[in-house]
Each structure stands twice: as C-alpha cells, then as structure tokens.
Amino acid sequence: MKLHGSLGEQERTARGIRVLTILGLLIIVVFIICMNTGYSKLTPFDVLKTLVGLGTPKQELILFDFRLPRIVIAMLVGAGLAVSGCIMQGVSRNALADPGILGINAGAGLVVMLVVAFYPSTSAAPVFMLPVLALIGASLTAMLIYGLAYSRTEGLSPTRLLLTGIGVAAGISAVMIILTLRISPEKYQFVATWLAGSIWGSNWKFVLALLPWIVVLLPYVFTKARVLNVLNLGEQTASGLGAPVERERLKLLAAAVGLAASCVAVSGAIGFVGLIGPHLARRLVGPKHQFLLPGAALTGALLMLVAEVTSRMILQPQEIPVGVVVAVIGAPYFLYLLSRSK
C-alpha cells in the first residue's frame, strides 16, 4: 500500500510538472503573437529585428513603448489576480470566492478612481502611489467584509462571506456611479473605460509600480502552500493539527488583498480572472497548492494574454477593454459554477 501510494504521488508530481511546463510554453507562444498583433502591422521578422536593436524608430516605438508594457502588465495582472483568488478560495473553502466577487477589487477601485478622477491630469497621477492607495481601499473593504462575515460561534462561514462580499461590492459600485456623475466630461470617458477593465497604465512606469508587489507577494504565497492545504481540511481539523488558523488566515488574506489591490491599480476593474484561473488550474494539476498556486498564476497570465490580444483584434482599429473580453468568458463560467454549487 505504501509503495502504491508513493507511486501515485510521483505520478501526480510528474503530471503537475508537465502541465506547468505546457502552460509556460503556451504563454511564450501567446506572448509572441501579442507582439505581432495590432493596428500597426509588424511581421515576426520585424519584431525579431527590433528586439535585437535593428528595427526602425517607428518599430521600436510601437514595440517597446506601446505593446510590450501592456503585454507585461497583462501577464502580471493575470498572475496576481488568479493567485489572489486561489488564496481566497482556499482560506474560505468557497469555490466561488474571488477578489472581484467579494468586493476587494471594488474597494481598491474606489480609491484609485477618486485619485484619477479628481487629480489635475491622469498623466500626472502618482503612478507609484496608486498601488499603495489601492491597498488602503482594498484593506478597509476586506476588514469590513471579514468583520461582517465572521461569527464567534461559527467562525468564517463561506456562504456568509460570499453574500457579504457581494453586498459590499454592490454598495461600492453604487458610490462609484454617483461619483461618475460629479466629474468633468473629460474625466468621465476615462473613468468609464477604467470601470470596464482596461489596462490603462500602458507604459513602463506602471510595470515598475506593479512589479515589486508581484515579486514579493507571489513567492511568499508559494511558501504557504502547505498551510493552505491544512486550512482546506477545515478549521477544527487544522487547529487539531497544531496550525495557528486565525493568524495564518489573516496573513494569507493580507497577501491576497495586496495582490488584488496592486493589480486593480493598473488594470481597472477586471473581474473573473481570480475565479477562472484557480478553477482551471485545479482541473489541470489537482488540489494540492504546491502545484495549484503556480498553476493558477500561469493560467491567469495566459488568460489575460489571450484577452489582451483578442481585445486588439476584434474591432480594429478600435480596441475594446480587456475586462469586457474576460467578462464574456467569465460570466458563463461563473453561472456554471453557481449552478453546480450546493
């Protein structure tokens, strides 16, 4: 029996490594397609020449100033939101948990929208402060939701957490709508596009503003894979095994809020990535978080890259917000998950 279990574990590990490798290769393929896609045509040979420094000034402008920052941000945002959703699903033991549905994105977005809407100009907005400001809004929202959903007798109820998050998100969305009525017409178009989910921070400053959060928080979360595995067993079982449940839960929720807030600060109100990414990864690599967390990161990055290239191809020369493409994919999947939940 022990030998059989050991072989089964080796097979699952090998399968997880294969799946992660395939996802990485798919990301590379879609990344190359993204560099070659857009209103201004660049052939693969043009892209290759430009990457090695032999392109024309126009080609360098298109590739390095317009396309590559958006592609990199799309990957980082997809990975960050998917891992954030994976943490929330693991901590709450709720398959429908996600930073968008639970209202975390809305809390971050409210603060960012206030800064962008009332700052003298969007180009002068404090780029490197936006993730910090978004974190403040997301943290306050998370504390509100956690406080309303937590019960001393029952602990953190998954159903109560979901319903509370939906209610808080609806309230914040109403406040956002009211705010849009009070801003200037020049700002309204920008805010409307941001609310639809647009990678508006399309230059390297926004990449540098987001990158430290992803580089610090993702490895930290990966080191907590075993803790998430234990928390999935239930609060009583985890406590019986000696895990400091409440302390670890708060640490993981703080990391999830930080990831979601920093991503929302540069990508707008993109929803469903945190819901779809973990679910697809779970189907591919299984429930163990040692593979589920990196699988969710890669799946989220791949999903955002596909949405990014699709948003540029459908209505050329116009572009549709990336969040709209993700919503077209995510809304039916959410309804499917809702119909299957008990």
Side-chain angles (χ1 to χ4, degrees):
M1 290 294 292
K2 183 179 289 187
L3 178 61
H4 178 74
S6 177
L7 289 174
E9 184 67 24
Q10 290 177 1
E11 289 177 1
R12 285 191 291 269
T13 300
R15 182 174 183 271
I17 294 173
R18 285 198 303 270
V19 171
L20 294 180
T21 303
I22 292 171
L23 287 172
L25 293 175
L26 286 174
I27 288 175
I28 293 173
V29 171
V30 180
F31 187 96
I32 294 171
I33 294 173
C34 281
M35 288 193 295
N36 291 276
T37 303
Y39 178 66
S40 299
K41 301 298 181 183
L42 289 180
T43 66
F45 184 66
D46 291 335
V47 171
L48 182 61
K49 284 198 309 180
T50 307
L51 288 174
V52 299
L54 300 176
T56 64
K58 180 181 178 181
Q59 290 170 340
E60 291 180 354
L61 178 69
I62 293 171
L63 186 61
F64 292 120
D65 292 349
F66 295 147
R67 290 186 186 172
L68 275 179
R70 286 187 55 167
I71 295 171
V72 173
I73 287 175
M75 291 176 57
L76 296 176
V77 167
L81 290 178
V83 171
S84 177
C86 190
I87 296 170
M88 292 183 178
Q89 290 172 15
V91 169
S92 67
R93 291 181 292 115
N94 190 331
L96 300 178
D98 136 272
I101 296 171
L102 292 183
I104 306 300
N105 289 0
L110 176 61
V111 175
V112 174
M113 197 188 84
L114 285 170
V115 174
V116 171
F118 294 103
Y119 212 77
S121 79
T122 55
S123 61
V127 173
F128 293 97
M129 283 299 295
L130 283 178
V132 178
L133 296 171
L135 178 62
I136 294 172
S139 299
L140 293 174
T141 305
M143 287 188 288
L144 175 63
I145 295 170
Y146 190 89
L148 293 174
Y150 186 80
S151 171
R152 290 185 178 180
T153 56
E154 300 179 13
L156 190 65
S157 168
T159 302
R160 191 185 297 114
L161 179 69
L162 180 65
L163 294 176
T164 302
I166 292 173
V168 171
I172 294 175
S173 297
V175 173
M176 285 183 174
I177 293 173
I178 294 173
L179 287 174
T180 58
L181 300 177
R182 300 181 61 86
I183 61 178
S184 64
E186 294 78 13
K187 295 282 187 179
Y188 178 81
Q189 183 63 39
F190 174 82
V191 170
T193 304
W194 187 91
L195 288 173
S198 173
I199 300 178
W200 66 284
S202 55
N203 63 57
W204 292 108
K205 286 184 179 179
F206 289 88
V207 175
L208 294 175
L210 176 60
L211 191 60
W213 297 79
I214 302 296
V215 169
V216 171
L217 290 176
L218 281 190
Y220 170 75
V221 172
F222 291 165
T223 64
K224 294 291 184 179
R226 293 184 182 276
V227 175
L228 280 167
N229 289 337
V230 174
L231 291 179
N232 270 349
L233 299 175
E235 189 167 337
Q236 292 182 348
T237 305
S239 298
L241 292 172
V245 175
E246 199 60 33
R247 187 175 66 191
E248 293 296 340
R249 179 188 284 159
L250 289 175
K251 287 180 181 179
L252 287 165
L253 284 175
V257 169
L259 286 170
S262 56
C263 291
V264 168
V266 299
S267 69
I270 295 178
F272 294 113
V273 177
L275 179 71
I276 301 173
H279 275 279
L280 293 179
R282 193 174 288 109
R283 288 176 177 269
L284 293 172
V285 300
K288 290 188 64 174
H289 284 83
Q290 285 86 345
F291 290 106
L292 180 57
L293 287 169
L298 292 175
T299 304
L302 181 60
L303 177 63
M304 280 295 294
L305 280 178
V306 171
E308 164 67 13
V309 70
T310 304
S311 69
R312 281 192 267 152
M313 291 175 61
I314 293 179
L315 296 176
Q316 287 188 2
Q318 280 79 27
E319 296 181 8
I320 61 176
V322 176
V324 174
V325 179
V326 176
V328 169
I329 301 171
Y333 194 74
F334 174 71
L335 294 175
Y336 166 73
L337 290 175
L338 196 62
S339 66
R340 288 177 58 90
S341 65
K342 295 180 180 181

